[in-house]
Amino acid sequence: MGDHDVITNTDENVFRAFMQAILNDIRAMEVMLAHDMFADTEPTMGAEQELFILDSNYAPTTKALDILERIADDRFTTEIALFNLEANLTPRRLTGNCFRALEAELEEVLEIARQKAQQIDTDIVMVGILPTLNKNHLGLSSLTPAPRYKLLNNILTKSRGGDFQVAIRGLDEMHMSHDNVLLESATNSFQLHLQVGPAEFTTLYNTAQLVAATVMAAATNSPMLMGKRLWHETRIALFQHAVDERSEVRQQRGHRSRVDFGSDWVKDSIVELYKEDLAEYRGLLTKPLTENSLELAQAGQVPELSAMRLHSGTIWRWNRACYGVKDGRAHLRIEARFLPAGPTLTDEVANAAFFMGLMHAVPEAYGDIRQHLSFDDARANFFNAAQVGLKAQFNWLDGQTIPATQLILTELLPLAYKGLEKLGVDEADRRHYLGIIEARTR
């Protein structure tokens, strides 16, 4: 849920100064791009694992802080609800046995969490939406006591001007209202990070937007919400409702939700996305400002761009652009947020292998995808996949219409294999993990 160093009491002057700081950060990034101030990068993968905490009746229980106190491992952190945990996995180069190593670390962190949870008669599960969760679990007593979470809840609720509304139609229908943002905590994901160079960002971000639908179609894991059979990946619909602070008037005027697939292909650079964030979405949080990022960048130094990053952290694109600094060196990442947690560690790693393989083969195979598919079709494919999974029919390149299963089996799995081969991923791993996707699809 992002940066926790936030200011709890602000006025309009503070917000105006902070919005100016975001603009400064964007200008600083433009300077950094123009002067090649980003670290040389090899394809590198990171991941975040979200987890539910269960009681003896398999219902969510608010024991996150008790478990974290016992874990004492800085890979683990809180999420917005006290019945969630998050583990941040070690970044690793995309080569060799990287996927086996990822699965081994996932096994390690899951075992650590389970052992500590069982000491207080609780347990851990990975799933996109917990089937035993109900509305009674989503009161403010379940909110993690951190200033960021409380502020987000208060600001989003006030901006909304009333309860958050959920309307989802699948095999069943769900219509409900809720008075806080904890609906978001009902969704658990397995988030992938791909570190990329500035020159390749545009191509790879657009590739992520293209392939998200097909990867998700083969990975859906959230068909149930509070006893209702809804979308194959109900997380997508639920998360969009859960933090939608738009009033009815703002929705009617076409204001975009903070949970969004995007509005168009990226044309030139990552800066477009940050400019769009600033133009489309008002600031929700502020933090102490400790640098003049533009002056630092102009002097050849690497700024934190903390205002821009805080603002971006309150906009939940399904593929999100990320800026980071490690050991004094700046880097860029693409964060894929659309995949569900679970059902098994091996399934999650297979999804990661499929996604990463496509990311490194599709650009060479398809060229500039903006010339072959409209963005509206890419967005429609994404929501179609979320609704019906492998039953989806996709509008594909150059006017094709193709079933998801046929597209995956005949075209995309061979491409993913080539992409992993290009990266130097071990042949046994390529066959193992992509074989899971093939068997699942068949």
Side-chain angles (χ1 to χ4, degrees):
M1 287 294 293
D3 193 339
H4 286 261
D5 183 19
V6 297
I7 298 174
T8 56
N9 295 301
T10 58
D11 58 27
E12 285 303 313
N13 290 331
V14 173
F15 266 110
R16 278 195 291 271
F18 196 74
M19 296 305 283
Q20 180 60 46
I22 298 172
L23 184 58
N24 244 27
D25 285 357
I26 293 172
R27 290 170 175 162
M29 177 174 273
E30 289 178 314
V31 171
M32 295 174 71
L33 290 169
H35 291 86
D36 195 22
M37 292 173 61
F38 289 87
D40 294 335
T41 184
E42 296 175 322
T44 302
M45 168 180 63
E48 301 172 47
Q49 177 71 68
E50 295 177 346
L51 303 164
F52 281 107
I53 307 168
L54 306 184
D55 65 18
S56 59
N57 296 314
Y58 305 104
T61 183
T62 54
K63 299 294 185 180
L65 299 183
D66 298 322
I67 295 171
L68 282 172
E69 185 177 353
R70 286 167 168 79
I71 287 176
D73 184 325
D74 60 11
R75 287 176 296 182
F76 290 88
T77 187
T78 58
E79 256 293 344
I80 192 169
L82 287 167
F83 49 75
N84 296 138
L85 286 175
E86 179 181 288
N88 294 287
L89 286 301
T90 306
R92 47 181 43 87
R93 281 194 58 206
L94 271 167
T95 193
N97 68 348
C98 60
F99 293 105
R100 265 180 295 159
L102 173 61
E103 184 171 0
E105 188 179 10
L106 283 166
E107 288 176 351
E108 177 194 355
V109 297
L110 186 60
E111 182 61 23
I112 290 171
R114 282 185 167 153
Q115 285 182 4
K116 302 305 181 183
Q118 287 166 2
Q119 291 177 5
I120 55 172
D121 299 319
T122 60
D123 207 345
I124 300 293
V125 70
M126 299 182 307
V127 64
I129 295 176
L130 189 65
T132 55
L133 182 143
N134 61 52
K135 194 172 179 179
N136 293 332
H137 298 121
L138 302 177
L140 286 177
S141 61
S142 296
L143 186 73
T144 298
R148 178 187 173 89
Y149 301 138
K150 184 177 179 180
L151 267 177
L152 275 175
N153 179 71
N154 293 344
I155 293 169
L156 291 172
T157 304
K158 181 179 179 181
S159 178
R160 172 82 188 180
D163 287 352
F164 295 89
Q165 303 296 323
V166 176
I168 307 172
R169 176 180 293 179
L171 290 174
D172 302 321
E173 291 187 36
M174 168 168 278
H175 296 273
M176 67 173 288
S177 61
H178 197 58
D179 62 0
N180 63 61
V181 298
L182 278 173
L183 281 168
E184 187 263 324
S185 66
T187 69
N188 270 8
S189 61
F190 178 60
Q191 298 166 18
L192 298 171
H193 289 252
L194 175 62
Q195 186 172 323
V196 302
E200 59 187 352
F201 178 87
T202 296
T203 296
L204 289 177
Y205 187 83
N206 288 337
T207 300
Q209 295 285 75
L210 174 72
V211 305
T214 53
V215 176
M216 183 169 58
T220 55
N221 182 31
S222 309
M224 299 285 293
L225 174 62
M226 300 183 190
K228 302 288 188 180
R229 301 166 299 171
L230 302 171
W231 290 11
H232 282 228
E233 194 51 56
T234 304
R235 283 175 46 258
I236 302 301
L238 180 60
F239 194 41
Q240 297 211 180
H241 290 297
V243 291
D244 188 356
E245 97 285 16
R246 298 173 301 166
S247 64
E248 290 187 14
V249 171
R250 292 178 65 213
Q251 291 182 48
Q252 291 168 3
R253 290 177 177 172
H255 288 263
R256 286 164 49 192
S257 168
R258 284 183 178 269
V259 180
D260 192 32
F261 184 76
S263 62
D264 203 349
W265 301 116
V266 176
K267 297 175 178 61
D268 295 311
S269 81
I270 187 174
V271 172
E272 294 169 38
L273 296 172
Y274 289 117
K275 286 183 175 179
E276 185 176 71
D277 286 350
L278 183 61
E280 290 282 342
Y281 304 103
R282 69 185 188 91
L284 297 181
L285 304 174
T286 63
K287 64 177 295 179
L289 299 174
T290 58
E291 66 176 15
N292 185 317
S293 56
L294 184 55
E295 287 183 0
L296 287 174
Q298 289 171 337
Q301 300 178 48
V302 174
E304 294 289 333
L305 306 186
S306 56
M308 183 188 78
R309 291 161 70 184
L310 180 64
H311 182 55
S312 177
T314 64
I315 300 154
W316 295 275
R317 296 175 185 267
W318 292 113
N319 285 304
R320 182 155 66 184
C322 298
Y323 168 90
V325 179
K326 185 176 181 181
D327 301 327
R329 306 179 75 188
H331 65 267
L332 303 178
R333 303 188 312 279
I334 296 168
E335 179 188 14
R337 303 173 47 82
F338 55 85
L339 287 169
T344 71
L345 297 176
T346 306
D347 281 306
E348 289 185 332
V349 178
N351 296 338
F354 189 29
F355 177 73
M356 294 298 177
L358 289 175
M359 289 292 288
H360 290 88
V362 162
E364 183 177 339
Y366 294 162
D368 187 350
I369 57 175
R370 297 172 297 182
Q371 306 302 317
H372 302 283
L373 186 74
S374 75
F375 186 82
D376 287 344
D377 281 337
R379 180 168 48 200
N381 288 341
F382 180 80
F383 289 103
N384 191 10
Q387 287 179 288
V388 299
L390 286 169
K391 296 179 182 177
Q393 295 274 339
F394 291 141
N395 296 322
W396 202 239
L397 307 186
D398 301 321
Q400 299 177 73
T401 301
I402 186 168
T405 51
Q406 180 182 340
L407 179 62
I408 291 169
L409 292 172
T410 64
E411 190 167 336
L412 296 186
L413 273 172
L415 273 180
Y417 192 92
K418 289 180 181 178
L420 296 182
E421 185 177 31
K422 175 183 174 183
L423 289 165
V425 172
D426 291 349
E427 182 179 3
D429 282 15
R430 300 197 301 265
R431 293 188 180 279
H432 174 59
Y433 291 112
L434 294 182
I436 290 169
I437 301 296
E438 179 178 2
R440 194 193 297 164
T441 304
R442 289 190 185 283

